[in-house]
Amino acid sequence: MHDQQQSANAPMDSASTPDMNQTSNASTLAKKWGPLAVIVILMAVGFSQGWHQYLSLDSLVKNRELLRGYVEQNYLLMVGGFALAYIAAVALSFPGASFLTIGGGFLFGWAVGGAVTVLAATIGASLIFLAARSSFGESLRSKAGGFIDRFAEGFREDAFNYLLFLRLVPLFPFWLINLAPALFNVRLGSYFFATLFGILPGTFAYAFIGSGLDSVIEAQHAANPACAADPSCTVTLDTSAIITPELIAAFVALGVVSLIPPVLKAVKKRRSEK
């Protein structure tokens, strides 16, 4: 009787094993690719709907009075909404984050606007970093070799300083720096704090510019009185007048300073090998 029960249960056990494996594989794939898939879908929807077009100085200038009214009526709600919008803009790799930073300084002042922006940008960058690392980071690292392996090893040894340099110097797109460390298995802690400290100077510089944006607008209105008297007339700001070569040079200088520790470490290592 016992043997008959075992023989009857055997087909069921063998049939259930593939189903369990399939469920396990599906769960693994969902955990691995799910976060990145959600980000890509939202990114596609955002670009198709033109959400990124709102991240511009022209849009800020056109709606500044309306936005300022919202801030006066619901300050904390607007601060929270701004933080969420910034997190989404960074995580979805929308262009124009610097303009959103200027908007934060304009709406909340350079201190509050800068602080909220730094935290929101770091969180948004960390989200896309974690999604990329869990999805394709491991597979690409396993296929790498030669120079890439040596570079990755050096990057991991001084991840904080290298990331600090990349964040300070505005030579590479922000979205690219968000993704690249995922290929080198950088720890989340190093990534988070290097991003947090690395974007501090630039963020507060742009927020400070935003806090004085009214004076720039008034100056352009004064230069064009007819536009100032016409409500339908809009002011177009020249971004080259705001993002100056001197400002970029200052960021580059900060970036060079951040590279001093890993350079000294490499020199000491070579001397010890000799």
Side-chain angles (χ1 to χ4, degrees):
M1 185 72 176
H2 181 69
D3 293 339
Q4 289 179 352
Q5 289 180 347
Q6 283 187 333
S7 60
N9 291 335
M12 293 179 61
D13 293 339
S14 61
S16 62
T17 301
D19 293 338
M20 293 176 62
N21 289 337
Q22 290 177 359
T23 303
S24 177
N25 291 336
S27 177
T28 301
L29 287 174
K31 290 179 180 179
K32 182 176 181 180
W33 293 99
L36 187 62
V38 170
I39 289 176
V40 171
I41 291 172
L42 290 176
M43 189 186 304
V45 172
F47 276 105
S48 66
Q49 297 298 315
W51 294 347
H52 60 290
Q53 295 176 0
Y54 293 101
L55 306 181
S56 68
L57 281 178
D58 288 344
S59 178
L60 175 62
V61 171
K62 292 176 182 177
N63 299 284
R64 70 186 190 282
E65 296 300 333
L66 180 64
L67 291 172
R68 182 168 285 167
Y70 288 152
V71 171
E72 291 177 356
Q73 296 174 9
N74 302 284
Y75 184 82
L76 293 179
L77 183 62
M78 285 295 292
V79 169
F82 174 80
L84 291 176
Y86 209 110
I87 291 172
V90 173
L92 301 180
S93 301
F94 285 166
S98 59
F99 299 139
L100 197 55
T101 305
I102 293 174
F106 173 76
L107 294 173
F108 311 111
W110 67 269
V112 174
V116 173
T117 296
V118 167
L119 185 58
T122 303
I123 293 174
S126 299
L127 289 177
I128 187 65
F129 163 75
L130 289 173
R133 191 177 69 172
S134 66
S135 298
F136 55 77
E138 184 176 352
S139 60
L140 289 180
R141 285 194 302 271
S142 64
K143 296 177 182 178
F147 171 77
I148 298 297
D149 275 342
R150 292 194 297 271
F151 180 80
E153 182 180 356
F155 195 98
R156 283 193 295 269
E157 288 180 358
D158 290 292
F160 181 86
N161 289 305
Y162 282 127
L163 274 171
L164 192 62
F165 169 77
L166 293 174
R167 293 300 190 190
L168 286 169
V169 180
L171 297 179
F172 306 98
F174 192 74
W175 62 267
L176 180 61
I177 307 173
N178 292 342
L179 293 173
L183 308 181
F184 306 131
N185 199 27
V186 173
R187 291 183 301 174
L188 177 60
S190 298
Y191 180 91
F192 185 90
F193 287 107
T195 299
L196 184 73
F197 292 121
I199 65 176
L200 275 174
T203 298
F204 277 97
Y206 285 123
F208 189 78
I209 291 171
S211 65
L213 192 60
D214 259 342
S215 60
V216 177
I217 297 172
E218 293 302 324
Q220 292 207 11
H221 277 310
N224 188 1
C227 187
D230 184 2
S232 63
C233 181
T234 59
V235 176
T236 301
L237 299 180
D238 184 7
T239 55
S240 63
I242 297 175
I243 306 173
T244 63
E246 291 79 9
L247 184 63
I248 295 176
F251 294 157
V252 172
L254 288 171
V256 171
V257 171
S258 71
L259 279 182
I260 292 177
V263 169
L264 292 177
K265 184 176 179 179
V267 171
K268 289 181 180 179
K269 186 177 181 180
R270 285 191 176 183
R271 286 180 178 178
S272 63
E273 290 176 352
K274 292 180 180 180

